[in-house]
Amino acid sequence: MGFSLALEEAGIPTIPVSTHVFSRLATATSRTGGMPTIRSCFVPQPVVGRTSSDLRGYIEGTDPISKRPFMQGVIEGLTTPLNDEDLKGVSFKRSTPRLLEPDTEDNLRMLFMENGWTDFLPIILPTEARVEAMLKGTSQPADKHVGHMRPANFREFWGFDVEKVAVNAVMAGARPDYLPVILALAATGISARSSSTTSWACISLVNGPIRKEIGMNDGVGALGPYNHANTTIGRAYCLTSQNVQGGSSPGDTYMGSLGNNWNYTACFPEAEERSPWSPFHVDKGYSPNDSTVSVFFGGWYTQSGFGPRETWKEKFIRCLVATDHFSPPIIVLDPLVANAFNDMGYTKEKLIEWCAENAKMPARNYWDDQWTTTLIKPHAVAGVEPYASWLKAAPDEEVCIFRPDDINIVVTGGETQGAFKMISGRYISRAGGLAGSNKPSSLVDDWR
């Protein structure tokens, strides 16, 4: 859409062409952009993996949305003069009532569900009294601006305040003393309900004294639904994301093809006291006494194993090579595993360097991937290293698939088994990442 606008501004008539499954999204996006009558054309889905004759058949065939010949729509869209309706644009009413009319609990819960304000699990209704009680968990005023959020880069940002976060915290069943953590997660500006077709989710990590103060679980079942704080904080972050960004509606503001169960709740603390290494937030420049949240954008895959056994290197390499190359792993180690690696002489940094040096595959395999082709190859073509060198490699030449800075290690778990997980999760650096987001870590103490 942005490319079409640039061409239009240069005086070159253009129309966007999308596959038919994106018709609702294209309409919503053009409306958001102030062009409700933009002339769009559509071809059938899919286009990936189709032969050239199949694709030519799309062009010579019928637009599945307009039910007219595809090329007729293209020609008319490019040559028919704009009319008054095209030029009028659109305005939006963005304010919504702060309160709903009184009703029964059953009717209100149904209303929340029908409007897409829930995750379809039972909620605690956010009455005035409950929201007021939740707000006692922070010293910040209810109308204090927290940040901006949107489901995708081509959507507009929506602003939100402390009270809106508190409303979602109530709905999730959180307690007031959890609110500073939930506010810190929301303040990153990174949506836990992004709209990528790849069905991403966000994994959130809590570090520092706040973990113990509110009773988070970094022991047995740390990643599972076995602790009130872990579960409701993650759920509140997900609910806040969908409700302050303008929605998370399949086919409109959510386009994840498979979906992702991490979108319900995905929050855990690090077992700092039982780790042989420095905590994650200290590695990122914070003080050990700081309470922080950190957000990883991914949740796409999980690899698991045990160790370090005699063949741990082969196991790690198999797991690393099986990952999605655009989404490097958070390597989550049970303290038993972390301490065993430490006893073998591996610091956290040395283990990360070993993983980056040994996670290799033929260049042909590396570049035969949707995300590396779409998002990494442009950097390689522009000469950015190490991607430029990887692009020049012979098809059968092995290349590294991650840099050391891409990989992160976190320690948590109950020491009942020497287990590890590699979970898709890019820690979005301050220098880049999602448009509009520049705070992948945030101080909880700012929101107490």
Side-chain angles (χ1 to χ4, degrees), residues 362-421:
R364 176 193 297 107
N365 295 29
Y366 177 82
W367 292 112
D368 185 25
D369 178 271
Q370 176 181 335
W371 285 109
T372 49
T373 300
T374 304
L375 298 172
I376 296 178
K377 191 172 183 179
H379 296 286
V381 173
V384 177
E385 294 292 353
Y387 311 119
S389 295
W390 297 350
L391 187 60
K392 295 174 184 176
D396 293 327
E397 181 181 346
E398 289 204 329
V399 298
C400 295
I401 61 177
F402 299 121
R403 304 165 303 170
D405 288 348
D406 294 332
I407 301 171
N408 290 287
I409 290 178
V410 175
V411 178
T412 201
E415 299 178 78
T416 61
Q417 172 63 278
F420 70 83
K421 288 184 181 292

Side-chain angles (χ1 to χ4, degrees), residues 17 55 82 106-107 109 158 222 236 238-239 245 251-252 275 289 316 318 339 343 358 413:
V17 176
L55 298 178
L82 299 177
D106 286 345
N107 286 346
R109 287 196 180 96
W158 291 65
C238 290
L239 284 173
Q245 69 184 13
D252 185 0
S275 170
N289 293 323
F316 262 53
R318 287 197 301 273
N339 280 290
D343 292 343
N358 289 275

Side-chain angles (χ1 to χ4, degrees), residues 185 188 190-194 199-205 234 237-238 241 260 262-267 294-300 330 424-426 428 434:
L185 286 166
T188 64
I190 300 169
S191 173
R193 293 287 174 86
S194 67
S199 309
W200 300 114
C202 278
I203 314 297
S204 48
L205 174 70
Y237 175 37
C238 290
S241 295
N260 198 315
W262 285 105
N263 285 141
Y264 273 111
T265 177
C267 180
S294 300
V295 176
F296 302 86
F297 186 67
W300 178 232
I330 321 162
S424 163
R426 177 179 291 277
I428 306 164
L434 294 181

Side-chain angles (χ1 to χ4, degrees), residues 30-31 33-37 83-92:
S30 62
R31 180 174 174 79
M35 300 178 294
T37 61
N83 57 38
D84 291 342
E85 191 67 21
D86 295 322
L87 299 172
K88 187 170 64 175
V90 66
S91 61
F92 297 90

Side-chain angles (χ1 to χ4, degrees), residues 25 39 85 120 130 145 153 163 196 224 260 304-305 368 389:
L25 177 61
R39 298 162 183 181
E85 191 67 21
F120 299 102
R130 287 169 179 161
H145 175 75
N153 290 351
E163 185 176 68
S196 170
N260 198 315
S304 303
D368 185 25
S389 295

